[in-house]
Amino acid sequence: MSVITGHKKKLLSIGDMSKLTGSAIKSLRYYERINVLKPAYVSPETGYRYYTLDQVHLIGMIQFSIEIGIPLAQMRQFMESDGTMDFRSFIKEGREVAEKKMKVLKKGLRHIDIIERHMDLAEQHQIGQIYTRKIPTKNFHVIPIEKSLNEAERIKILQSFMKLPIEEKDWEEAEYGILCEYAPREAMYYFVEVPENIDLPNVKIIPGGTYFCMQTENSEIEKAPELFKDHIEGPCYAIETEIFTGRIKLNKPICELRVVHYVPQSSQSR
C-alpha cells in the first residue's frame, strides 16, 4: 500500500482508499464533487488525491447511507464545517429510513407469496379445461356496466376503487374483475373484493361453495352459460378475474372464469 509522509500524517492514495473500502475511484471523486468527502490532501503538482485512514469511517457512513436510501446530499445536514458529524442524529435518521424500507420489502415479499400461490394453483390446469374449486363467500363492491370494458374504462373504474376506505393489507389479496348474474335477467358489473366488516354501498355477497372454473386466454364471461352448460343448470353467477401463471404475455394475461348457482340477492345483498 503506497503511503505519503510529507505532512506528519500518513496518507492513502485514491487507489489505495478504493481498495480498502470497496468504493470505486469514480465514486470517491463523486463524493468529493458533492462535498461529502474532501481529500485530506491534493498534490498541487499532479492533482493526485490522498486520504487519511480516519476517512475510512466516513466512507463507511456514505456507503451505509447509499444502502438504506438516505440521499447523499441529505447526509451533509449532519456534518459541520469543522468536520464534526452529528452521528446520533444521523443514526436516528438511518433507523427511520431503514424501517420504512423494511416495511416496503416485507410488503413486496407478501405480494410475491400471493403471486406464487396463484401460479401454483393455475398451473395445475390447462387452458380450456373445466375443473372445480372450493371458494369461500366473498363480498364484492360492484359498479354496473353494460358490456366488457376496454383498457381505459377499466383503469378509470380501478382508480375509483382505490379511493374506497379499505386498509392497505386488505388490498393485497383482493380480487377484481367482472361479475355476471344470469338470473332472472342478465346483469353485468365490475367488482372489487372488500372486507366483510366494511360498510359500503353496492355490495353483493357472493356465496361460497364448489365453483366450476376454466382458464381462458380472452374474456369469455358472456359465453359462460354455454361453456358450462353440461355442469350447471339454471340461474348462476359468473365471475371472471385475471390470474398469474408461470409464463404470461404481459399485455394479455390469463383469465379464470368461474360459475356457481345463483342465490337471490334479497337475502344476500346489503
Side-chain angles (χ1 to χ4, degrees):
M1 182 178 291
S2 59
V3 177
I4 307 300
T5 59
H7 297 283
K8 297 182 181 178
K9 292 185 177 181
K10 294 182 179 180
L11 301 179
L12 305 174
S13 71
I14 192 171
D16 289 335
M17 184 59 89
S18 174
K19 292 176 183 177
L20 188 61
T21 63
S23 290
I25 291 176
K26 66 178 181 180
S27 297
L28 296 175
R29 288 175 175 159
Y30 172 69
Y31 304 154
E32 178 185 354
R33 287 201 306 274
I34 64 173
N35 294 318
V36 296
L37 177 68
K38 289 292 187 181
Y41 175 71
V42 179
S43 170
E45 293 84 14
T46 64
Y48 292 168
R49 287 149 172 77
Y50 299 94
Y51 301 82
T52 67
L53 194 60
D54 291 338
Q55 288 180 298
V56 171
H57 299 294
L58 179 54
I59 294 175
M61 291 301 98
I62 293 172
Q63 292 170 330
F64 175 71
S65 296
I66 294 171
E67 287 174 0
I68 66 173
I70 298 178
L72 294 184
Q74 185 176 333
M75 182 181 174
R76 292 202 301 267
Q77 74 185 43
F78 303 102
M79 302 173 69
E80 300 174 10
S81 58
D82 64 354
T84 303
M85 184 176 192
D86 185 354
F87 194 51
R88 182 172 293 278
S89 296
F90 174 74
I91 289 298
K92 181 181 178 182
E93 176 79 5
R95 174 180 289 278
E96 292 174 356
V97 171
E99 287 176 347
K100 289 179 182 178
K101 191 171 185 178
M102 287 174 62
K103 183 178 179 181
V104 171
L105 290 173
K106 287 180 179 178
K107 177 183 176 182
L109 287 173
R110 288 196 304 271
H111 192 56
I112 289 172
D113 288 340
I114 292 168
I115 291 174
E116 286 184 332
R117 289 202 304 271
H118 286 190
M119 288 192 298
D120 291 343
L121 180 63
E123 290 172 356
Q124 295 176 19
H125 310 286
Q126 296 179 351
I127 301 293
Q129 172 191 356
I130 294 178
Y131 54 94
T132 59
R133 281 183 60 194
K134 290 282 188 181
I135 296 178
T137 299
K138 291 178 177 286
N139 295 269
F140 289 167
H141 171 69
V142 299
I143 293 178
I145 57 177
E146 295 182 358
K147 57 181 177 57
S148 296
L149 305 176
N150 61 38
E151 192 70 16
E153 291 168 332
R154 290 174 58 201
I155 290 173
K156 186 175 181 180
I157 290 180
L158 285 174
Q159 288 173 336
S160 73
F161 286 161
M162 295 302 294
K163 297 177 182 178
L164 296 174
I166 298 175
E167 293 186 16
E168 184 176 338
K169 63 181 178 62
D170 293 320
W171 281 115
E172 293 181 359
E173 294 203 55
E175 293 185 329
Y176 61 88
I178 301 173
L179 165 68
C180 274
E181 294 175 337
Y182 288 101
R185 61 182 180 82
E186 181 178 336
M188 184 179 290
Y189 309 88
Y190 206 73
F191 75 85
V192 63
E193 184 181 357
V194 296
E196 181 180 1
N197 59 356
I198 190 170
D199 186 18
L200 286 174
N202 303 321
V203 171
K204 288 184 176 289
I205 302 174
I206 310 302
T210 300
Y211 281 65
F212 290 97
C213 307
M214 176 190 294
Q215 294 177 24
T216 64
E217 293 181 325
N218 300 290
S219 178
E220 301 284 2
I221 193 164
E222 296 180 57
K223 300 178 183 178
E226 177 184 350
L227 292 172
F228 293 94
K229 63 183 180 181
D230 294 334
H231 299 82
I232 191 166
E233 296 181 358
C236 69
Y237 293 107
I239 298 167
E240 187 172 75
T241 185
E242 294 177 358
I243 58 174
F244 294 100
T245 56
R247 293 179 62 83
I248 62 172
K249 295 179 180 179
L250 297 179
N251 61 343
K252 192 177 181 181
I254 300 298
C255 296
E256 182 178 64
L257 180 61
R258 313 169 190 157
V259 294
V260 71
H261 283 291
Y262 174 83
V263 177
Q265 290 289 296
S266 58
S267 61
Q268 292 289 315
S269 62
R270 57 181 173 85

